Amino acid sequence: ESSLQARQEQALAKLRLYALPDHAHQKLWDQLDTAYFLRHDPQEIAWHTRLLYFRAETQKPVIKARLSPAGEGLQVMVYIPDQKELFARICSFFERLSYDIFEAKIYTTRHGYALDSFQVHDSTNQRPQYRDLISYIEHELGERLLHQTPLPPLTKPRLSRQLRHFPISPEVNIQPDDKGTYKVLSVIAGDRPGLLSRIARVLTAYDINLHTAMINTLGSRAEDTFLITGAALND
């Protein structure tokens, strides 16, 4: 409780720097539960609130990108009434850009909006013109989500030299979490372009809801953990 309050206080202190009216945050915060505040740091909470407080019930997608405060790459926020295949659509968009997602926080508000944050970076290690890239992501990803563009066919991934010589056999494990609320899906596999899209499409095919994704890449080895729910998991 105290850590929750501390986070909210710190986020509000940051919001005051932007001269937001005192209770401006309330409409959005009423739709966020404890899990949201515990999973995001005060700076992220302030960023989300500043972008969304006046459009908590917008019907158009809100896509915002910025240089990542955590280091390299970009942080991208997606806010939209929840839609089927949303995670798969976002993954395939970044894959087409040759961007790797190395962290994803998937969250659904009380009123059925997806509020998702992604940390992404350029897998080709080029130094792009970030300002142009940010505008491109905000516009193009917004258009795709607005029109629910069909998912492109999966391409055959190019394996890195290391994976061709030392293949990693995939390990997939599904366990209930401590409270029995969610199932925890853990996947260990060779990292390659399109891996997340493939996982996302399997989840969609079985009507599995994704609540959180923790994407961890260590060299050519991906260790990903997903919190999921869905009737098919009883089979």
Side-chain angles (χ1 to χ4, degrees):
E1 186 66 31
S2 61
S3 116
L4 172 70
Q5 236 169 344
R7 273 175 195 232
Q8 290 176 334
E9 289 298 327
Q10 287 170 324
L12 288 174
K14 289 181 190 304
L15 287 169
R16 284 185 205 108
L17 301 176
Y18 296 98
L20 248 64
D22 269 358
H23 296 289
H25 65 281
Q26 207 56 57
K27 190 171 182 183
L28 177 69
W29 283 23
D30 285 346
Q31 304 300 339
L32 308 174
D33 62 10
T34 311
Y36 169 84
F37 289 103
L38 294 179
R39 278 213 327 253
H40 297 83
D41 64 43
Q43 193 218 37
E44 285 176 315
I45 296 166
W47 187 51
H48 292 167
T49 307
R50 184 162 59 87
L51 296 170
L52 300 174
Y53 77 92
F54 57 96
R55 45 184 169 193
E57 290 174 0
T58 176
Q59 287 308 298
K60 285 175 77 176
V62 181
I63 314 295
K64 288 290 172 190
R66 63 175 181 177
L67 290 177
S68 170
E72 273 185 43
L74 297 174
Q75 187 175 34
V76 181
M77 180 199 81
V78 174
Y79 183 73
I80 186 175
D82 207 3
Q83 56 175 246
K84 204 171 159 72
E85 300 187 330
L86 178 61
F87 185 63
R89 251 185 213 105
I90 295 169
C91 290
S92 63
F93 172 78
F94 284 116
E95 282 158 12
R96 234 194 71 231
L97 275 184
S98 293
Y99 259 62
D100 288 334
I101 297 172
F102 62 96
E103 185 186 74
K105 291 180 184 173
I106 310 296
Y107 177 75
T108 308
T109 66
R110 292 191 166 120
H111 63 331
Y113 276 68
L115 172 46
D116 300 344
S117 302
F118 297 88
Q119 299 273 5
V120 300
H121 64 73
D122 182 358
S123 58
T124 59
N125 285 329
Q126 291 171 344
R127 286 262 165 247
Q129 292 296 319
Y130 276 123
R131 187 173 297 167
D132 299 345
L133 183 67
I134 284 172
S135 325
Y136 177 81
I137 289 172
E138 291 179 348
H139 177 262
E140 281 297 312
L141 182 54
E143 284 294 294
R144 273 166 205 232
L145 300 184
L146 182 63
H147 301 297
Q148 302 199 14
T149 314
L151 291 169
L154 286 168
T155 52
K156 192 159 170 46
R158 294 182 313 282
L159 293 186
S160 66
R161 204 162 64 228
Q162 194 177 356
L163 271 181
R164 283 202 305 272
H165 294 304
F166 304 101
I168 295 170
S169 18
E171 293 172 34
V172 178
N173 206 313
I174 300 177
Q175 298 283 348
D177 72 348
D178 306 341
K179 296 195 177 112
T181 318
Y182 301 108
K183 291 279 200 294
V184 180
L185 163 66
S186 56
V187 177
I188 295 175
D191 187 40
R192 54 184 167 283
L195 177 65
L196 269 183
S197 271
R198 285 180 156 70
I199 295 172
R201 289 182 196 211
V202 173
L203 298 181
T204 302
Y206 287 93
D207 281 329
I208 301 295
N209 302 311
L210 175 60
H211 301 275
T212 310
M214 280 158 285
I215 316 298
N216 231 327
T217 311
L218 312 159
S220 56
R221 176 187 170 96
E223 296 188 4
D224 301 342
T225 310
F226 305 88
L227 281 188
I228 53 177
T229 52
L233 296 168
N234 300 324
D235 177 352

